[in-house]
């Protein structure tokens, strides 16, 4: 007997739009997709250099709960509603070490571990989700003692193309940062100023950046496909005015390409 199927649409947010609609069995077995590849990210916050990073994407759904991976972050979507997403999140923020120029004379910053939660909702769209708008709010706090700060990110994505085997989506986002985060990554104490030659700077809380991105994917067989992501954020406010950023760039690119397997 052929297994029965139903339509599932999982919604991504940390890298918006990477999930794809698919026909999956209703026999209670895990299903989803895993994608592994390589990408680039800023060498540090405010840098004009990039570093190579592993690029991991994944959505694994089991009994109404979805485990999602987006680069250095993982999260669990606890909502069984295909339009609502909510749950905990944990991830890492890249360190600042061996920086070039005068920024390299500032104290090094270790990799941070962040934890928090997210909530999102998808509006509209057909049975595959095409034409839908996905909104989301994510809140994370440093739990590693690296910067002891808080970041709040709001995003919205539009599913321009969404079918059983192909998707194309665009998204926009902005992040608010508190003073603890801003002073760790963009601040310069008088002592650090004397050592580096950069002007002393004490930023406060406020919006850190605005950004946009494009995600696309295609499955060329029942199980294998490719997924790519290209985006950038633009530093604003106190982050943009920091001597760290002036030594680097307000533009912060992020991109990658993966080979994907769905099951």
């Amino acid at each position: 007997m052929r297994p029965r199927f139903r339509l599932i649409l999982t919604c991504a947010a940390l890298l918006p739009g990477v999930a794809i609609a698919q026909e999956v069995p209703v026999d209670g077995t895990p299903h989803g997709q895993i994608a592994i590849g390589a990408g680039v990210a800023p060498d540090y916050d405010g840098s004009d250099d990039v570093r190579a990073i592993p690029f991991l994407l994944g959505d694994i759904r089991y009994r109404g709960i979805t485990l999602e991976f987006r680069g250095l972050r993982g999260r669990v979507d606890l909502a069984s509603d295909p339009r609502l997403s909510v749950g905990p999140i944990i991830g890492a923020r890249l360190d600042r070490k061996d920086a070039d120029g005068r920024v390299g004379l500032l104290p090094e910053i270790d990799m941070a571990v962040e934890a928090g939660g997210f909530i999102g909702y998808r509006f509209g769209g057909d049975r595959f989700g095409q034409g839908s708008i996905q909104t989301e709010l994510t809140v994370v706090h440093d739990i590693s003692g690296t910067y002891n700060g808080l970041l709040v990110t709001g995003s919205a994505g539009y599913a321009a193309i969404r079918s059983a085997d192909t998707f194309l989506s665009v998204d926009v986002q902005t992040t608010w940062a508190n003073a603890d985060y801003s002073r760790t990554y963009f601040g310069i104490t008088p002592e650090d100023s004397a050592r580096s030659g950069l002007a002393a700077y004490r930023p406060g809380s406020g919006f850190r950046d605005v950004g946009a991105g494009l995600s696309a994917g295609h499955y060329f067989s029942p199980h294998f496909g490719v997924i790519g992501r290209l985006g950038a954020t633009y530093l604003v406010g106190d982050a943009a005015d920091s001597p760290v950023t002036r030594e680097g760039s307000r533009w912060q690119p992020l991109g990658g390409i993966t080979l994907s397997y769905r099951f």
Side-chain angles (χ1 to χ4, degrees):
M1 179 181 297
R2 292 175 60 85
R4 294 176 57 202
F5 289 84
R6 63 187 173 92
L7 182 72
I8 279 291
L9 176 69
T10 54
C11 295
L14 295 182
L15 292 178
V18 302
I20 198 165
Q22 63 184 109
E23 300 289 342
V24 297
V26 293
D27 59 2
T29 59
H31 57 269
Q33 60 182 358
I34 297 176
I36 300 175
V40 294
D43 195 31
Y44 55 85
D45 288 2
S47 174
D48 59 354
D49 291 326
V50 296
R51 69 169 80 178
I53 58 170
F55 215 61
L56 173 65
L57 307 173
D59 297 85
I60 303 172
R61 189 169 181 84
Y62 181 63
R63 298 188 183 275
I65 296 176
T66 304
L67 177 62
E68 301 175 352
F69 300 98
R70 301 290 180 265
L72 297 177
R73 282 186 173 181
R75 69 185 199 175
V76 181
D77 183 356
L78 301 175
S80 57
D81 187 331
R83 293 191 177 272
L84 176 68
S85 58
V86 61
I89 182 173
I90 190 167
R93 180 167 299 277
L94 295 174
D95 56 28
R96 186 178 75 193
K97 295 183 178 180
D98 300 322
D100 295 331
R102 293 189 291 178
V103 175
L105 300 176
L106 298 175
E108 293 185 341
I109 302 174
D110 292 331
M111 178 177 286
V113 179
E114 300 167 335
F118 68 95
I119 184 169
Y121 194 80
R122 179 171 64 90
F123 297 90
D126 62 13
R127 61 190 288 264
F128 287 110
Q130 181 165 324
S132 65
I133 296 177
Q134 172 75 19
T135 59
E136 188 165 287
L137 183 69
T138 300
V139 180
V140 295
H141 194 282
D142 173 37
I143 60 173
S144 60
T146 298
Y147 67 89
N148 295 313
L150 182 74
L151 293 168
V152 182
T153 300
S155 65
Y158 173 68
I161 299 173
R162 190 65 63 100
S163 69
D165 294 316
T166 305
F167 77 86
L168 174 68
S169 62
V170 294
D171 57 86
V172 294
Q173 68 175 51
T174 186
T175 297
W176 179 92
N178 76 346
D180 289 325
Y181 165 87
S182 299
R183 289 168 187 168
T184 299
Y185 290 92
F186 297 100
I188 301 174
T189 66
E191 294 78 13
D192 295 336
S193 173
R195 181 168 55 250
S196 67
L198 297 171
Y201 186 66
R202 185 175 172 82
S205 61
F207 283 97
R208 183 193 68 177
D209 59 40
V210 294
L214 175 71
S215 300
H218 177 69
Y219 276 87
F220 45 80
S221 79
H223 295 292
F224 292 98
V226 292
I227 294 176
R229 166 75 176 173
L230 182 63
T233 57
Y234 186 70
L235 297 176
V236 298
D238 285 1
D241 294 335
S242 168
V244 172
T245 303
R246 292 179 180 177
E247 291 284 302
S249 174
R250 296 176 67 173
W251 287 104
Q252 303 289 280
L254 174 67
I257 189 165
T258 66
L259 177 65
S260 180
Y261 175 79
R262 65 181 176 186
F263 53 94

